[in-house]
Amino acid sequence: MVPTGTAITNEQRTLRKCSCGWSNVTTHRGLRIHQGKAKCGGTSQMQSCTAPADQTSRRQSQVEHHSATVSDIAYGQTEEEHLSQQQEQLQHLVPTPHNEYQEETPSSETPSQTRKERPIRQPKVRWPKASDKEAWRSFDQDLHIILGKFLQGSVTTKLNLFGNIIYEEGKERFGERTGRKSTPREPGRREREIQNLVKERRSLRKAWRKAVDSEKEGLKALWAQIRTRLATLRRAERIRKRRSRKEKERAKFFQDPFKFTRSLLEEKKNGKLEATAQELEEYMINQLSDHERNIPLGSPGHVPRPAEPESQFDTTPPRLAEIRKVSIDLGYKQEKARLVLELRDSTDPFVKNNKASVRTGRKWRAEEAVDQAISRLMHKEVVGRTQSVRAGLGWGTATKFWSKASKKERKQLVIEEVVRSEEDLYKIKALSQPQQGQWTT
């Protein structure tokens, strides 16, 4: 409760009363919500509030009360009678509201302890498709006539009846949406034949037990035929189920590759977590943290201490001469690889059949580098398109495969692969040199 002699704002909780007799400790917004749900009209607010002697009492809402105009209400008829008459006219369209909240008069309990009934979920309307413009146009025209005819009165009454009129009209015109009922799968021809053969085999086994010795040979031969037929049918059924399962798994993979891969690689979870958030947080802290991480480990006694390095670590950036050397080396190997491809793919049969060798250094041979590049390109085609970092499958520029490339494109692919392999060797060498204490050889 607010002390006497202070102004009450809309956000403060105080005892508020409605014209219908309802009262509760709530804000002005809570009172308006009650008036909208209970459809009491909100003709008066009857709030228990006072103001200082030198000030006038404040209005609890800056929104003016919107009432029906004189032309909408008959002569000698009050607004409440007019609203009740409208609701009787809309009784066949507007359902009885099930979502009215039952409020209890507060005594000693707080407003948060007041219980509210959960609204009953109404069935969904089977609305037409968005592309069916003719159905929506007809529905809009008829709804405009109905709303203009029956939607009258104050703003509060119009807002309360607007949604109900639309829902009832849509349900009456388009019907209700019913859930899908899964029909049981009927057994196929092969499955029915298997069931019949199993029954025949059981009957033959019972007959064999009761038969004399002269009849057992014939029953045994029939039993062997049924057994052979069952084995053939069951093997075909297993193949069919395996093929169907593969098709379903393939469809799931193409629909969402990441979800399918996660379902395969993720560890299956079972059971129910019954630990509190505090217990779970303490467990994760104990498992993933080290309380002694700030304490230095020191040198173990069984490991000998290495000798001092003879040459100091070179921390200077690469020199211009080193960069030029790498660039010249890559350019040299690129041109030699291009020469090998031109000799192999020459249109002159004498040059092509002569198999002339390209002279290079002792540590690197152009023919071997080209052959390795072609092998890597063929291997990439077998692997297919793969995911790059966090990008999804198919993101970025499409990879050009070796079998689908033209003669000119193949030459460019081989040269790029030779350069890429040499750059990888430089990266490996650069990573290994800091461990040796030097950047150059």
Side-chain angles (χ1 to χ4, degrees):
M1 297 296 295
V2 180
T4 305
T6 60
I8 301 176
T9 61
N10 294 339
E11 290 77 12
Q12 291 181 350
R13 290 181 177 271
T14 182
L15 180 61
R16 301 176 186 269
K17 298 180 181 180
C18 185
S19 59
C20 64
W22 175 90
S23 62
N24 196 357
V25 179
T26 181
T27 60
H28 176 71
R29 185 169 180 268
L31 176 62
R32 300 298 293 172
I33 291 175
H34 158 73
Q35 293 173 352
K37 296 293 183 181
K39 296 181 174 59
C40 60
T43 54
S44 62
Q45 298 181 359
M46 297 177 63
Q47 300 177 10
S48 175
C49 61
T50 57
D54 56 345
Q55 295 181 6
T56 58
S57 57
R58 298 179 55 186
R59 290 182 58 87
Q60 298 301 315
S61 174
Q62 296 180 358
V63 181
E64 296 182 357
H65 177 67
H66 298 275
S67 60
T69 59
V70 180
S71 59
D72 295 335
I73 303 176
Y75 178 76
Q77 186 182 20
T78 61
E79 183 180 358
E80 288 77 3
E81 295 175 354
H82 180 71
L83 295 178
S84 62
Q85 182 180 358
Q86 288 182 354
Q87 293 180 358
E88 291 177 0
Q89 294 176 357
L90 297 175
Q91 190 174 3
H92 68 285
L93 289 176
V94 182
T96 303
H98 299 283
N99 57 350
E100 293 184 358
Y101 293 97
Q102 295 182 355
E103 299 287 347
E104 298 180 358
T105 304
S107 55
S108 59
E109 57 182 357
T110 58
S112 60
Q113 295 176 349
T114 56
R115 297 184 178 180
K116 299 179 181 179
E117 290 185 357
R118 297 184 62 182
I120 300 176
R121 188 179 184 88
Q122 298 179 349
K124 296 182 179 180
V125 180
R126 189 170 61 246
W127 298 107
K129 295 182 179 179
S131 58
D132 193 357
K133 298 182 179 179
E134 186 63 29
W136 284 107
R137 187 182 298 107
S138 175
F139 179 69
D140 182 65
Q141 293 175 357
D142 297 344
L143 191 62
H144 179 72
I145 297 174
I146 294 173
L147 292 176
K149 183 178 180 181
F150 295 103
L151 197 61
Q152 298 178 2
S154 62
V155 176
T156 305
T157 306
K158 290 181 180 180
L159 291 176
N160 293 332
L161 299 180
F162 183 78
N164 294 333
I165 294 176
I166 295 178
Y167 173 79
E168 287 298 323
E169 182 65 21
K171 186 174 67 173
E172 182 180 354
R173 174 172 298 197
F174 304 112
E176 299 179 0
R177 182 184 298 178
T178 57
R180 296 182 180 178
K181 297 181 180 180
S182 59
T183 56
R185 175 182 171 273
E186 296 183 358
R189 176 191 60 81
R190 192 184 293 115
E191 294 176 340
R192 292 195 300 267
E193 187 176 356
I194 290 174
Q195 294 175 0
N196 296 333
L197 290 176
V198 169
K199 294 179 181 179
E200 292 181 8
R201 187 178 62 177
R202 291 176 183 173
S203 61
L204 286 176
R205 187 182 292 110
K206 294 179 181 179
W208 184 81
R209 292 174 181 174
K210 298 178 181 180
V212 295
D213 295 340
S214 60
E215 297 177 351
K216 287 186 176 180
E217 293 297 330
L219 294 175
K220 189 175 182 179
L222 292 175
W223 188 84
Q225 293 179 2
I226 293 176
R227 181 182 178 183
T228 305
R229 180 60 179 168
L230 271 175
T232 304
L233 292 175
R234 286 175 173 172
R235 182 169 57 253
E237 191 67 17
R238 285 195 301 270
I239 294 173
R240 183 191 67 82
K241 290 182 179 180
R242 191 184 304 115
R243 187 185 299 113
S244 177
R245 186 171 60 253
K246 285 183 179 180
E247 291 177 357
K248 291 180 180 179
E249 298 294 335
R250 187 182 297 109
K252 290 181 181 179
F253 173 77
F254 285 115
Q255 185 178 4
D256 194 344
F258 297 101
K259 183 178 180 180
F260 180 81
T261 307
R262 186 167 58 251
S263 64
L264 289 179
L265 303 180
E266 226 176 26
E267 184 178 358
K268 300 298 183 293
K269 301 176 182 179
N270 54 6
K272 184 179 180 181
L273 183 61
E274 296 181 352
T276 61
Q278 184 178 1
E279 294 176 353
L280 183 61
E281 186 176 358
E282 292 178 357
Y283 174 79
M284 297 299 293
I285 290 175
N286 295 333
Q287 290 291 328
L288 304 178
S289 62
D290 184 11
H291 300 288
E292 300 180 354
R293 61 181 179 272
N294 296 326
I295 302 176
L297 296 177
S299 177
H302 60 278
V303 178
R305 186 173 182 81
E308 295 294 334
E310 297 179 358
S311 58
Q312 296 296 328
F313 182 71
D314 188 3
T315 58
T316 59
R319 300 176 180 83
L320 182 59
E322 297 173 352
I323 297 175
R324 288 178 177 176
K325 180 181 179 181
V326 173
S327 302
I328 293 173
D329 192 12
L330 288 177
Y332 170 79
K333 293 179 180 180
Q334 183 177 355
E335 294 301 326
K336 289 295 182 180
R338 182 180 286 108
L339 180 58
V340 171
L341 293 174
E342 289 179 356
L343 292 176
R344 288 184 181 181
D345 301 336
S346 176
T347 56
D348 190 352
F350 179 78
V351 176
K352 186 175 182 179
N353 298 329
N354 192 22
K355 297 181 180 180
S357 60
V358 178
R359 294 183 179 181
T360 55
R362 179 172 54 86
K363 297 183 180 181
W364 182 82
R365 296 185 180 276
E367 290 83 357
E368 295 179 359
V370 171
D371 294 338
Q372 291 177 2
I374 295 174
S375 300
R376 284 193 293 269
L377 290 172
M378 291 181 177
H379 179 262
K380 288 182 179 180
E381 184 174 1
V382 174
V383 174
R385 295 181 176 89
T386 57
Q387 180 181 354
S388 177
V389 197
R390 286 191 173 184
L393 293 174
W395 182 85
T397 307
T399 307
K400 195 68 176 180
F401 291 135
W402 176 260
S403 61
K404 298 182 180 180
S406 61
K407 182 178 179 181
K408 183 177 180 180
E409 291 174 344
R410 286 187 176 184
K411 183 184 294 185
Q412 187 65 24
L413 288 175
V414 171
I415 295 173
E416 291 177 356
E417 190 64 29
V418 170
V419 175
R420 189 181 297 109
S421 61
E422 293 299 325
E423 290 177 350
D424 292 342
L425 292 177
Y426 283 124
K427 292 178 182 178
I428 295 172
K429 190 174 182 181
L431 291 175
S432 61
Q433 283 178 349
Q435 300 178 0
Q436 303 173 1
Q438 56 182 2
W439 279 97
T440 57
T441 56

